[in-house]
Amino acid sequence: MENILEINGLNKAYDGFALKDVSFSLPKGFIMGFVGENGSGKTTTIRSILNMAKIDSGKIAVFGLDSVSDTIEIKERLGVVFDSLYLAEHLNVKQIEQQLKPFYKDWDSEEFFRRIKEFDLPDNKKVGDFSKGMKMKLMIAIALSHKAELIILDEPTSGLDPVARDELLDILTEYIENENRGVLFSTHITADVERIADYVTILHNGKVWYTGTKDELAEGYAVIKGAENDIPSEMKAKLIGFHAYRNGFDALIKTDDLAGIPDTLEYEKASIDEILVYIAKEDKYEKNERHS
């Protein structure tokens, strides 16, 4: 499969935080959920893709083009939706369209106003007075109107009501029906990822913890629980985010490591939310072990 986005060995250091050897790729025709706790490096990665942050080392290719030397051509073909509006809020939709039109050689005014009508957006109201859901739809309409082949969304569903979230996910699902397109969807609402993503990349402390298909992630990890004394010694070292409490324990484990599990222990498939929680617990557990 041809990749629409490739990141290889991305490193970017700030004071107190760094992306460390981040590598993942998104094939054409698919949606990737990009998840991780706040501060894991998702926004820094996106800023690096957009050439808004100067990377220390590594390579980023979008449409097979270099993210730095080919940045203008890439941005012609790229749509971006942030968690807040990046447009002049005192303007209405018609004025916004007049401002944006000269920047895109493939801008389609007819398509723009068709989308505005489809999304039930008023064309004579200041965009700063739009609801958050309306602002998201406006940014999507802009992306679709210059024929964006890759849409990158940074926490777009944060703060949206359930109806607006559902509408946005439907729009993305329709968009990706064209197999030459792709979507990178950064969010902390993992239910949205589980609903529409084909691939998942999990960032943790600036590193890639997992990247691959959503199905492989879902099949690859389980939550195990029971009495702590029933854990075989060779299995305990393989537990992730071990949490002991008065009546037992729970932890994350790779399904490949479940062989030989005693009947007294229970396990069930882990959700993406649970995986993120246990990754965070593992950090706390390791810190406690080091200081004990």
Side-chain angles (χ1 to χ4, degrees), residues 10-292:
L10 169 60
N11 289 279
K12 172 65 182 174
Y14 291 106
D15 187 24
F17 175 78
L19 291 177
K20 289 155 277 191
D21 200 29
V22 170
S23 299
F24 64 87
S25 58
L26 171 61
K28 277 186 177 182
F30 295 99
I31 296 175
M32 174 176 281
F34 192 37
V35 300
E37 74 273 26
N38 289 338
S40 62
K42 300 189 302 295
T43 296
T44 300
T45 303
I46 287 173
R47 285 174 56 82
S48 299
I49 295 168
L50 299 175
N51 198 30
M52 295 170 67
K54 186 178 179 181
I55 65 175
D56 298 330
S57 62
K59 295 286 287 183
I60 302 173
V62 187
F63 316 120
L65 303 170
D66 183 82
S67 65
V68 177
S69 59
D70 301 314
T71 186
I72 294 174
E73 184 177 348
I74 287 170
K75 287 175 181 176
E76 279 275 357
R77 300 165 63 185
L78 194 68
V80 182
V81 179
F82 293 118
D83 65 342
S84 57
L85 195 66
Y86 53 76
L87 303 166
E89 298 201 350
H90 65 285
L91 301 180
N92 62 35
V93 162
K94 289 180 179 178
Q95 293 167 324
I96 292 287
E97 196 267 344
Q98 288 301 307
Q99 271 199 343
L100 292 175
K101 194 173 181 178
F103 289 98
Y104 297 101
K105 61 185 178 186
D106 289 327
W107 183 266
D108 186 335
S109 296
E110 187 176 325
E111 173 69 7
F112 178 75
F113 286 108
R114 186 180 76 78
R115 293 289 181 175
I116 293 300
K117 185 175 181 181
E118 178 188 340
F119 297 161
D120 293 323
L121 299 176
D123 59 11
N124 56 358
K125 183 178 179 180
K126 292 179 181 178
V127 297
D129 295 332
F130 281 12
S131 68
K132 185 153 189 179
M134 292 165 72
K135 290 174 180 176
M136 292 302 106
K137 287 181 182 178
L138 175 57
M139 287 187 278
I140 292 281
I142 290 167
L144 297 177
S145 299
H146 65 85
K147 301 179 176 61
E149 297 162 51
L150 171 64
I151 294 182
I152 296 177
L153 306 100
D154 190 11
E155 301 287 357
T157 54
S158 175
L160 292 185
D161 64 67
V163 173
R165 272 177 57 208
D166 187 69
E167 288 177 336
L168 179 59
L169 298 182
D170 283 345
I171 291 166
L172 294 177
T173 302
E174 177 200 337
Y175 169 81
I176 206 67
E177 287 175 2
N178 182 324
E179 294 182 356
N180 289 314
R181 295 171 173 171
V183 174
L184 180 67
F185 182 43
S186 165
T187 182
H188 65 272
I189 303 175
T190 56
D192 294 342
V193 173
E194 289 178 330
R195 176 176 155 186
I196 68 166
D198 307 290
Y199 289 81
V200 177
T201 293
I202 298 175
L203 274 194
H204 180 63
N205 290 339
K207 297 179 181 178
V208 173
W209 191 87
Y210 172 86
T211 187
T213 70
K214 180 181 66 180
D215 291 344
E216 286 172 347
L217 178 63
E219 296 297 328
Y221 291 89
V223 174
I224 185 171
K225 56 186 69 175
E228 186 173 352
N229 291 338
D230 291 339
I231 309 170
S233 56
E234 67 276 10
M235 181 176 282
K236 190 162 186 178
K238 298 173 181 177
L239 300 180
I240 302 165
F242 179 85
H243 175 231
Y245 46 91
R246 190 175 64 177
N247 297 320
F249 82 97
D250 57 57
L252 187 70
I253 189 169
K254 289 183 177 179
T255 50
D256 288 347
D257 293 330
L258 285 170
I261 180 175
D263 293 339
T264 51
L265 297 179
E266 299 176 359
Y267 66 91
E268 57 188 19
K269 189 182 294 186
S271 67
I272 297 174
D273 239 4
E274 287 172 323
I275 290 170
L276 294 179
V277 168
Y278 283 105
I279 294 171
K281 282 183 180 179
E282 181 71 4
D283 270 2
K284 291 180 182 177
Y285 180 73
E286 288 179 348
K287 285 176 185 175
N288 290 339
E289 286 290 296
R290 282 198 301 267
H291 291 107
S292 61

